[in-house]
Amino acid sequence: MGGFGYEWEPYVPVAVRKARAQKVLAKRGVVASPVRIEGRKITRTFWGQSWCDNLEAYSDYANRMPRGRTYVRNGSVVDLTIGDRVIHAKVSGTQLYTVKVEIGALPSARWKGIKAECAGKIDSLVELLGGRLSEAVMTVMTRRPGGLFPAPAEITLACSCPDVARMCKHVAATLYGVGSRLDTVPDLLFRLRGLDPLELVSSAGSAALVRKSDDGALAGADLAGIFGIEIDDGEAAAPPAAPKRAAKAPKRTTLILSLIHIS
């Protein structure tokens, strides 16, 4: 107890807090998807790093981002899911806190402008998601304002912790966790903005033959090899039959990429 009548919570090691959080999630029947950072570097690819650079560029977030980096590095983001324009997370702190981040849809006029500036300059979906584009195209994508990434006014933040600040360390850790997740599933950025990345590809016929899984996310063996994603559609592959007529498309589908433009 301090000299001014404040009583501090006893320190609990990070490993103990994480173990407690995992038990709580397991008890609730949650199949967790934690953020795991190897080493000090949170992101390693173009889109992941660009996401984090965008966040750090805004003074609105400056004070809490360092604590967020610490939390995500030590594994405190014990569950993270990304959907259409929304992020849900569970972050281990003094208690297990619930974080929700909503991302505004990219204004249609801005998206139309981006597509116009990039017209004819993106030949492959894999090239786009891999961040292997010209500097001019990348500048269009990442500029502030006017690019793909959200500004603070386009982000709604909520955390169940008692911190009254708009950006608490649990939310900051969650947003860094998104950057890490974009390293392996870069198309999630487009889901967060309510966009279809194929609209940027100049020649879909030569660049990629694409189908999507039921949840709308892109998946497939070739993309898996490039980004290190392990794809499993949950169904055993059956030997193909020779149908007499065109078969209906299966309910669950995967992405098939033609790597014509991959060097």
Side-chain angles (χ1 to χ4, degrees), residues 51-246:
W51 171 270
C52 294
D53 288 346
N54 178 70
L55 295 173
E56 292 170 354
Y58 293 107
S59 59
D60 310 50
Y61 300 152
N63 293 337
R64 299 307 175 95
M65 299 310 282
R67 292 296 302 277
R69 288 193 291 269
T70 298
Y71 264 56
V72 76
R73 286 190 185 112
N74 67 26
S76 292
V77 183
V78 295
D79 186 39
L80 176 70
T81 58
I82 301 173
D84 295 331
R85 296 172 50 199
V86 66
I87 302 157
H88 294 281
K90 298 290 185 182
V91 182
S92 174
T94 306
Q95 301 177 26
L96 180 61
Y97 297 113
T98 298
V99 174
K100 181 179 180 181
V101 179
E102 295 178 280
I103 307 293
L106 193 78
S108 58
R110 193 196 309 177
W111 180 230
K112 184 177 180 180
I114 290 173
K115 289 190 292 183
E117 289 187 78
C118 297
K121 300 174 184 177
I122 303 174
D123 297 322
S124 165
L125 179 63
V126 174
E127 181 184 53
L128 169 63
L129 296 183
R132 298 198 299 273
L133 301 171
S134 69
E135 184 177 349
V137 172
M138 290 291 90
T139 298
V140 172
M141 298 284 189
T142 61
R143 66 189 173 196
R144 292 182 299 272
L148 291 177
F149 295 102
E154 298 173 301
I155 306 176
T156 302
L157 310 173
C159 181
S160 62
C161 78
D163 194 332
V164 297
R166 179 170 182 262
M167 167 71 77
C168 68
K169 53 183 175 286
H170 312 108
V171 168
T174 296
L175 292 175
Y176 274 118
V178 172
S180 176
R181 195 61 53 84
L182 291 177
D183 273 357
T184 53
V185 196
D187 68 285
L188 286 174
L189 170 63
F190 293 88
R191 288 190 69 184
L192 278 174
R193 299 316 311 266
L195 307 172
D196 183 353
L198 280 175
E199 293 181 21
L200 289 168
V201 178
S202 60
S203 179
S206 63
L209 172 62
V210 175
R211 292 182 292 177
K212 294 185 179 182
S213 61
D214 293 337
D215 63 3
L218 301 176
D222 293 325
L223 195 58
I226 293 170
F227 297 109
I229 309 167
E230 187 173 322
I231 304 298
D232 182 0
D233 65 5
E235 298 176 2
K244 294 181 181 179
R245 56 185 179 181

